[in-house]
Amino acid sequence: MTKRLVSIGLSLILAAVWIAGCANLGQIQDQQNGQPIAEKQQRNNQMKITQQDTAKKIDDKQQTMSIQGKVKAHGNIKALAGGSEAENRVLKPMSNYLLQKKYPNIVVMRGAANRNRVALTFDDGPDAKFTPQVLDVLHKHGVKGTFFLMGSRVKGHPGVTKRIHREGHVIGNHTYWHPKLYQESIDRLKWEASETDKAIQSVAGYSPKLFRAPYGGLNEEIVRTLGQMNFSVVGWTVDSMDWTQADSATVQKNIRSNLHPGAVILLHSGGHWTQDLSGMVKAIDELIPTLKKEGVEFVTVPQLLNLPGKK
């Protein structure tokens, strides 16, 4: 009986050893094929993350190359890194009014209400088509405007930039590539502003103190940084909506229905290469003399807001 119990005990021990050995063998085999299951899963997840990061880097590089290619192909007309105004801009950037209240020494929106003066401002230029037409109209009526220019387009159209400066208009900084700054790093903001400064300095001989964010897109960090860079951040109070490719009658209606003493009027002297701004050109040609007869005085942003225009 004792021998039988010993035999049974030895059999159970051998069985337990065999099961443990199988388990270890399975793990050893799994390690030979890669790593244990938990580690394999972790590795697979890391590989997916790495692949996603690589894909994003490739996509970012391709996007940058695409933008640069469009600049060369279209003479800096098509290079709007953040997309066209019509597809991306908030119609009424009310948050800018809140920022102006919190940072009154940096963000400016309008001039004094006790003088019937307004400022015409033109974004996204220069280009070879609409900017010269705008300049022709302003020259015809003896009016000075404020042009917020993109650095890449200043590089692409130095002759038009020189004309803006030569004819007595004020130049402001509108970034180099026109990105959505609120989606970018502060380092990107600093680069965009600094490179545009350099481009304007090389053509006009001075660096602007005025800055306007693409799409009017601001946040507190952007405003504080621009203040540290010695910029005045210029918003607007009247949107002509010319970027919707509206006709002359509509652009004039949009301006007149919102016009007030001290108004900063938003217009565009360039845009996406597909945009037609001819309605805007006709509108200002007709509206300027009409408003002059009504006692409206057209001035630059520095004149309207008592700001320096140059560094």
Side-chain angles (χ1 to χ4, degrees):
M1 182 71 177
T2 302
K3 291 182 178 179
R4 184 178 180 186
L5 289 173
V6 171
S7 177
I8 293 172
L10 288 173
S11 298
L12 290 173
I13 291 171
L14 290 172
V17 171
W18 181 81
I19 292 171
C22 288
N24 290 334
L25 179 60
Q27 186 175 36
I28 291 170
Q29 288 174 339
D30 195 48
Q31 288 176 334
Q32 288 174 344
N33 291 331
Q35 294 185 14
I37 295 174
E39 295 182 17
K40 280 183 70 178
Q41 184 63 44
Q42 184 178 9
R43 183 185 178 191
N44 289 339
N45 290 340
Q46 185 61 45
M47 287 178 64
K48 289 180 180 178
I49 293 171
T50 302
Q51 289 170 350
Q52 290 171 353
D53 288 344
T54 301
K56 185 178 185 303
K57 289 178 181 178
I58 293 172
D59 183 63
D60 289 344
K61 184 176 181 180
Q62 289 175 339
Q63 184 179 24
T64 300
M65 292 175 66
S66 176
I67 291 172
Q68 293 172 345
K70 290 172 183 176
V71 171
K72 293 178 181 179
H74 297 281
N76 296 291
I77 295 176
K78 201 172 182 178
L80 296 175
S84 70
E85 295 274 342
E87 295 174 353
N88 293 281
R89 188 161 64 80
V90 177
L91 301 188
K92 295 183 180 180
M94 293 302 295
S95 61
N96 289 0
Y97 289 95
L98 300 177
L99 289 168
Q100 194 278 327
K101 289 182 179 179
K102 188 166 184 178
Y103 301 95
N105 295 325
I106 303 175
V107 180
V108 293
M109 302 291 294
R110 59 176 296 167
N114 60 355
R115 299 185 66 178
N116 199 12
R117 305 197 303 174
V118 302
L120 297 177
T121 66
F122 301 88
D123 288 6
D124 295 355
D127 73 5
K129 183 176 182 180
F130 294 109
T131 306
Q133 293 180 42
V134 169
L135 291 171
D136 289 344
V137 170
L138 297 180
H139 179 74
K140 174 182 175 181
H141 298 293
V143 167
K144 304 303 180 186
T146 304
F147 290 77
F148 290 92
L149 304 182
M150 292 169 53
S152 59
R153 293 182 172 181
V154 170
K155 286 283 190 179
H157 302 286
V160 181
T161 306
K162 288 179 181 178
R163 181 183 170 188
I164 293 171
H165 175 57
R166 184 174 65 248
E167 295 185 0
H169 305 289
V170 172
I171 296 175
N173 188 315
H174 198 47
T175 73
Y176 199 86
W177 289 115
H178 204 272
K180 300 182 184 73
L181 292 173
Y182 50 88
Q183 295 181 352
E184 302 291 342
S185 68
I186 288 301
D187 285 341
R188 171 72 183 270
L189 163 65
K190 291 178 179 178
W191 183 90
E192 292 277 341
S194 298
E195 288 301 308
T196 302
D197 259 3
K198 293 176 185 176
I200 294 171
Q201 172 73 42
S202 68
V203 176
Y206 73 92
S207 297
K209 286 182 69 69
L210 307 180
F211 184 95
R212 177 174 283 165
Y215 317 102
L218 296 169
N219 59 37
E220 289 196 43
E221 189 177 17
I222 291 171
V223 169
R224 287 194 298 267
T225 301
L226 289 170
Q228 292 166 3
M229 296 177 74
N230 202 29
F231 281 111
S232 292
V233 181
V234 182
W236 62 85
T237 56
V238 177
D239 189 347
S240 70
M241 304 286 283
D242 61 345
W243 48 271
T244 64
Q245 305 183 85
D247 59 23
S248 173
T250 302
V251 172
Q252 291 188 58
K253 181 181 178 181
N254 291 338
I255 294 174
R256 290 191 68 96
S257 62
N258 294 286
L259 197 64
H260 59 86
V264 177
I265 303 169
L266 175 66
L267 300 139
H268 293 79
S269 67
H272 191 268
W273 74 280
T274 61
Q275 280 182 296
D276 181 6
L277 298 172
S278 57
M280 174 274 302
V281 176
K282 183 179 179 182
I284 61 173
D285 190 23
E286 296 176 353
L287 194 57
I288 289 173
T290 301
L291 292 178
K292 276 187 172 183
K293 290 178 182 179
E294 296 174 7
V296 176
E297 181 184 1
F298 292 91
V299 296
T300 65
V301 165
Q303 290 172 327
L304 183 73
L305 303 174
N306 193 29
L307 297 171
K310 305 175 183 180
K311 288 185 180 179

